[in-house]
Amino acid sequence: ASRKPSRARLSYYVTYCVTEFFEIVIAIGMFFGRVLIARIFTNDSQVVDMFSKISPFVAMVMVFDGLQIAGAGALRGLGRQT
């Protein structure tokens, strides 16, 4: 989108929306499937219980991390990494 700011803006919005869509889908899956995910890796009930308590916070952080990743990619594309 060199010298075409409207196309660059559209590209950023599309990337931003697609990233957030997938982050939200994964966060919802992690939230509702937290016991199943834990059971894939262990049968220890204490570990499953701990993971079930922590995973809603991890799911919430994932959504905001997606925003940060999309923003960092846009800044990198502008040449403003530092």
Side-chain angles (χ1 to χ4, degrees), residues 10-22:
L10 175 64
S11 176
Y12 174 71
Y13 287 137
V14 169
T15 301
Y16 195 75
C17 290
V18 168
T19 300
E20 277 312 296
F21 172 76
F22 283 111

Side-chain angles (χ1 to χ4, degrees), residues 30 32-52 55:
M30 180 177 244
F32 289 110
R34 59 187 179 255
V35 174
L36 178 64
I37 293 169
R39 291 270 180 217
I40 290 172
F41 295 100
T42 185
N43 290 325
D44 186 352
S45 61
Q46 284 184 318
V47 174
V48 171
D49 187 49
M50 242 190 298
F51 182 80
S52 295
S55 61

Side-chain angles (χ1 to χ4, degrees), residues 71-72 74-82:
L75 289 175
R76 190 173 298 119
L78 289 170
R80 298 181 182 178
Q81 305 81 307
T82 58

